[in-house]
């Protein structure tokens, strides 16, 4: 996919190493964002709907896409996975984790499916005024790809106010470090699902990460979540 090939992946890798997240500016065009957001009311595209307040996840709701995925998502998912698999393998090596990820996303999905993780995980999130998403991790089963992507489909300051993407990092024997990631419509944030390596004075150690969305003060916000492992 040309737009993914044109990304400065060396910069993305360096940002991920430094902060556990990296922004890809303008990954989707305005009309692509609008088209994806407009899918939300039509349940034919989705396998399930989750109302966050019923489960203590926050306020707002989201829907998991069903297979086959919409063409744009079906193209983005393997295209983004390929360069991120290099980061994932480098991280696992640094943390002493034996798992390695194939460069081809279909091969990784087969690994998931062989373990009973067959349900697609790309999702569309919808927030209204007062809604928020509690800090969490998207794990879903034994096989977890350690990076994921969220793409903002709405315009901050126009469609909504508030609703910032938030990442927290729990370092051993230290207080958590927060990171607020500013995004414009069409921007993507790549971030660690669970943990990442950090170089310390005595070698590499793991830090644990969680992500969420702060309270919307006004308007409506849609986000596309691209998770690379499937769910049980």
């Amino acid at each position: 996919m040309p737009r993914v090939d044109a990304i400065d992946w060396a910069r993305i890798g360096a940002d991920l190493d430094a902060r556990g997240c990296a922004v890809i500016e303008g990954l989707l065009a305005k009309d692509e964002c609008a088209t994806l957001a407009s899918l939300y009311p039509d349940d034919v595209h989705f396998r399930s709907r989750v109302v966050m307040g019923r489960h203590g996840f926050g306020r707002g709701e989201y829907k998991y896409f069903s297979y086959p995925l919409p063409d744009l998502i079906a193209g983005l998912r393997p295209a983004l996975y390929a360069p991120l698999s290099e980061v994932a393998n480098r991280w696992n090596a640094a943390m002493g984790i034996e798992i390695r990820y194939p460069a081809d996303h279909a091969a990784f999905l087969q690994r998931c499916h062989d373990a009973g993780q067959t349900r697609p995980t790309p999702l569309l999130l919808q927030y209204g005024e007062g809604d928020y998403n509690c800090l969490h991790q998207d794990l879903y089963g034994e096989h977890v790809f350690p990076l994921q992507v969220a793409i903002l489909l709405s315009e901050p300051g126009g469609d909504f106010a508030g609703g910032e993407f938030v990442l927290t990092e729990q370092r051993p024997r230290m207080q958590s470090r927060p990171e607020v990631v500013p995004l414009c419509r069409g921007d993507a944030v790549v971030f660690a699902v669970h943990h990442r390596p950090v170089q310390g004075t005595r070698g590499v150690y793991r830090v644990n990460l969680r992500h969420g969305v702060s309270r919307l003060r006004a308007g409506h916000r849609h986000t596309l979540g691209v998770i690379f492992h499937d769910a049980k």
Side-chain angles (χ1 to χ4, degrees), residues 17 94 172-174 196-207:
D17 288 345
R173 299 176 298 280
M174 300 175 71
R196 72 178 183 95
V198 172
Q199 181 66 50
T201 56
R202 299 182 179 179
V204 174
Y205 63 94
R206 300 183 196 183
V207 295

Side-chain angles (χ1 to χ4, degrees), residues 65-113:
F65 284 97
S66 57
Y67 282 133
L69 300 173
D71 289 345
L72 180 56
I73 303 171
L76 275 175
R77 199 182 187 204
L80 291 168
Y81 170 91
L84 291 176
S85 67
E86 298 180 15
V87 178
N89 285 330
R90 177 163 52 78
W91 278 10
N92 276 12
M95 292 185 290
I97 298 172
E98 294 182 358
I99 297 168
R100 297 294 182 268
Y101 303 94
D104 180 62
H105 186 239
F108 174 65
L109 280 186
Q110 188 60 55
R111 184 185 297 179
C112 294
H113 295 176

Side-chain angles (χ1 to χ4, degrees), residues 119-134:
R119 296 189 297 164
T121 49
L123 69 161
L124 198 55
L125 301 101
Q126 177 174 273
Y127 303 89
E129 183 175 347
D131 290 350
Y132 61 93
N133 198 343
C134 294

Side-chain angles (χ1 to χ4, degrees), residues 34-51:
T35 297
L36 287 172
S38 72
L39 298 178
Y40 197 86
D42 189 352
D43 285 342
V44 71
H45 302 289
F46 304 97
R47 65 174 176 84
S48 65
R49 170 175 173 259
V50 177
V51 178

Side-chain angles (χ1 to χ4, degrees), residues 2-231:
R3 74 178 82 187
V4 174
D5 295 339
I7 293 168
D8 183 353
W9 287 106
R11 193 267 301 172
I12 297 297
D15 287 350
L16 286 167
D17 288 345
R19 295 186 294 276
C21 66
V23 174
I24 304 171
E25 297 179 352
L27 181 61
L28 297 185
K30 179 180 178 180
D31 61 329
E32 291 174 322
C33 293
T35 297
L36 287 172
S38 72
L39 298 178
Y40 197 86
D42 189 352
D43 285 342
V44 71
H45 302 289
F46 304 97
R47 65 174 176 84
S48 65
R49 170 175 173 259
V50 177
V51 178
M52 293 189 222
R54 295 176 183 169
H55 306 279
F57 296 164
R59 277 184 52 179
E61 60 181 64
Y62 53 88
K63 294 180 179 180
Y64 289 105
F65 284 97
S66 57
Y67 282 133
L69 300 173
D71 289 345
L72 180 56
I73 303 171
L76 275 175
R77 199 182 187 204
L80 291 168
Y81 170 91
L84 291 176
S85 67
E86 298 180 15
V87 178
N89 285 330
R90 177 163 52 78
W91 278 10
N92 276 12
M95 292 185 290
I97 298 172
E98 294 182 358
I99 297 168
R100 297 294 182 268
Y101 303 94
D104 180 62
H105 186 239
F108 174 65
L109 280 186
Q110 188 60 55
R111 184 185 297 179
C112 294
H113 295 176
D114 288 346
Q117 294 176 219
T118 59
R119 296 189 297 164
T121 49
L123 69 161
L124 198 55
L125 301 101
Q126 177 174 273
Y127 303 89
E129 183 175 347
D131 290 350
Y132 61 93
N133 198 343
C134 294
L135 295 169
H136 65 284
Q137 299 170 327
D138 296 311
L139 300 177
Y140 299 121
E142 175 190 357
H143 295 282
V144 175
F145 188 73
L147 293 155
Q148 67 188 77
V149 178
I151 306 171
L152 183 60
L153 305 179
S154 306
E155 184 61 40
D159 297 324
F160 69 95
E164 294 89 355
F165 179 86
V166 179
L167 194 70
T168 65
E169 187 174 85
Q170 178 61 56
R171 297 165 291 174
R173 299 176 298 280
M174 300 175 71
Q175 293 184 337
S176 296
R177 181 182 69 88
E179 179 91 15
V180 176
V181 183
L183 298 170
C184 296
R185 177 172 50 199
D187 288 353
V189 56
V190 186
F191 56 99
V193 173
H194 185 197
H195 47 233
R196 72 178 183 95
V198 172
Q199 181 66 50
T201 56
R202 299 182 179 179
V204 174
Y205 63 94
R206 300 183 196 183
V207 295
N208 195 49
L209 294 100
R210 297 180 183 274
H211 65 278
V213 173
S214 68
R215 180 178 60 85
L216 253 72
R217 296 192 296 274
H220 291 84
R221 179 189 193 273
H222 287 91
T223 306
L224 171 66
V226 181
I227 298 165
F228 298 102
H229 47 275
D230 278 352

